[in-house]
Amino acid sequence: MSSEANTPVLPNCIRLPLPEDELMEVVAKAKDYAIMHGAAMRSKTAFSPDSLNFAPFVLVPSSFPRKEFEKAVALQPIINRLMHNVAHDEEFITTTLAETIKVDEFTANLFNIYRKVLAHGFTQAYSIGLLRSDYMAHVYEGCAIKQVEINTVASSFAGIATQLVPQQKFVLSELGHADKLHNMPSNNALAGLCDGMVKAWDIYAKPKAVILFIIEDVSYNICDQRFHEFYIRETYPHIKVLRRTLTEVHKEGKLGQSKELLLGNQEVAVIYFRAGYEPGHYHSQAEWDARYLMETSLAIKCPSIHYHLAGTKKVQQALAQPAVLERFINDPDEIKAVGKIFTGLYSLDDNEAGNATYEMALRTPEKFVLKPQREGGGNNVYGVDIPDALKRMSRVERSAWILMDLIHPPLTRGYMVRPGGDMPPQIVEMVSELGIFGVVIGDAEHIVHNYQAGHMLRTKLSTANEGGVAAGLGALDSPYLIDTDEEQN
């Protein structure tokens, strides 16, 4: 992400600034609306299980090119199928991660589980992917979307994002702009993902089996997680949901005679990982043993270990190479469409191509972002900081990272509202990242469910590199769709 002095600014959905008295009143209403409708999180600085702060939000929806939003939505079933096929290609995953696992201990631990599961054969043929493909519009290509990354594990914010649309519609209506609401696409991300879990539960076909959420020791993003649990319980009251940490699964979990996963006397049909995607979630060998236990069980995993590995940055970098997509997608038009969303992704392996990438990054670091094999935000290295970071690495250590072309998104201007922030908030320049959710369920031979499942928008200050809301660096938002003629004006 980068913004330069001549970066275009997309037109706002309403004229800003607002008169101060009107702004103060509507912000106060929006904060209460957020808390009362669950667009909220627990405080990291003053944590209490008994209280919530509203999640940081943008007061009115941010503009996004309609044509590009619709393109991202239409592409998602193809992306789902691509990732499903990648996850089931043992040779591709093994070859692609061969150098990375030599130097990245976390990815190596995941890969070792994958190798052991493969050796014994998958107990459960079916997997469910709850995916999120993230994009930014790129001003140097007419605001065409470019993929930032694909998330195959713990794809978050479907719950809160679903609440953001009615919240921002409420604000627009309060400000006298109800005529603009039709430009905000409806968002059923929560229902889309939860219904996917229930479809997997149906495939498991044991009426008393439960859905298990794997959670962190402390959940700051509690509302987003609970929305999923409560939606399932309210919509499908016959299905029970359990929440357990990896540590608790190690203590309570065991395999039954048919390798079914048992927690006490409760059989688990579906496992939904909201933790387990970063090293800090594994305090000891016990947590790794718990992960292995679940992977060898009959439960349908979201994600299975091979889906988890398919989401690594190294795999994404490999997919962006010419001709690689042909391995996983048959339709030439689909290959072309997916190829267009990729930005430049470069290997840093210790070989001729990787060494050329290294030299390129040292020459023009301002053009790139350096990414490790990590989820959860806050791990990337940007621009002028890249040379020092690379020089500290050995040739072998570099292979745990990839280099990616910096995307230059258009700017928007608006009010970002944060707990403890300035009142009244000031107008700031921002950039947005669109996430499209997808659900895919199947085995190595067949896909039985595949659909796009809603969206989210994260917006951050144009001066901020990282944009994770959970990491405290961005704000939740939703898209206000504008047409090309509006963009040009």
Side-chain angles (χ1 to χ4, degrees), residues 127-252:
S127 296
I128 170 172
L130 301 186
L131 313 180
R132 196 187 73 219
S133 185
D134 292 338
Y135 303 95
M136 280 182 159
H138 188 42
V139 296
Y140 295 156
E141 293 190 24
C143 281
I145 51 168
K146 292 292 178 182
Q147 189 182 66
V148 177
E149 63 180 355
I150 180 99
N151 299 277
T152 62
V153 57
S155 305
S156 60
F157 285 118
I160 299 182
T162 300
Q163 308 302 318
L164 250 286
V165 175
Q167 178 181 323
Q168 289 181 322
K169 283 186 172 181
F170 167 77
V171 169
L172 283 180
S173 298
E174 288 294 295
L175 295 172
H177 292 279
D179 59 312
K180 306 281 181 71
L181 303 186
H182 68 281
N183 289 317
M184 293 183 67
S186 60
N187 191 6
N188 296 310
L190 177 65
L193 295 194
C194 292
D195 290 346
M197 284 188 245
V198 172
K199 290 178 194 300
W201 183 89
D202 286 336
I203 289 169
Y204 194 82
K206 291 201 179 176
K208 292 188 177 176
V210 303
I211 295 177
L212 171 64
F213 285 22
I214 300 297
I215 57 167
E216 315 102 316
D217 297 327
V218 178
S219 295
Y220 298 104
N221 195 12
I222 189 66
C223 295
D224 192 57
Q225 292 183 15
R226 290 288 193 192
F227 272 130
H228 292 77
E229 177 184 352
F230 297 162
Y231 175 93
I232 291 169
R233 289 299 276 155
E234 288 164 11
T235 313
Y236 308 95
H238 55 289
I239 303 176
K240 187 170 183 177
V241 174
L242 301 180
R243 289 166 60 85
R244 296 288 188 274
T245 65
L246 288 166
T247 313
E248 288 167 338
V249 171
H250 181 254
K251 289 175 184 170
E252 300 174 32

Side-chain angles (χ1 to χ4, degrees), residues 14 21 24 27 42 61 70 233 331 357 390 410 425 467 476 481:
I14 62 172
D21 56 345
M24 293 286 282
V27 167
R42 286 186 177 142
E70 290 171 350
R233 289 299 276 155
D331 186 305
T357 300
L390 283 175
L476 291 165
L481 302 184

Side-chain angles (χ1 to χ4, degrees), residues 293-313:
L293 178 80
M294 290 186 281
E295 293 296 340
T296 57
S297 79
L298 195 60
I300 299 175
K301 274 73 71 178
C302 173
S304 299
I305 192 70
H306 44 308
Y307 261 91
H308 191 159
L309 292 171
T312 55
K313 304 293 187 296

Side-chain angles (χ1 to χ4, degrees), residues 328-339:
F328 303 106
I329 302 175
N330 297 324
D331 186 305
D333 291 335
E334 291 184 354
I335 292 170
K336 189 176 175 185
V338 173

Side-chain angles (χ1 to χ4, degrees), residues 277-291:
Y277 55 81
E278 65 175 39
H281 297 158
Y282 299 84
H283 312 302
S284 67
Q285 186 59 39
E287 286 74 28
W288 286 109
D289 290 346
R291 181 70 187 264

Side-chain angles (χ1 to χ4, degrees), residues 307-323:
Y307 261 91
H308 191 159
L309 292 171
T312 55
K313 304 293 187 296
K314 189 67 184 169
V315 169
Q316 290 169 41
Q317 179 259 314
L319 287 175
Q321 302 313 296

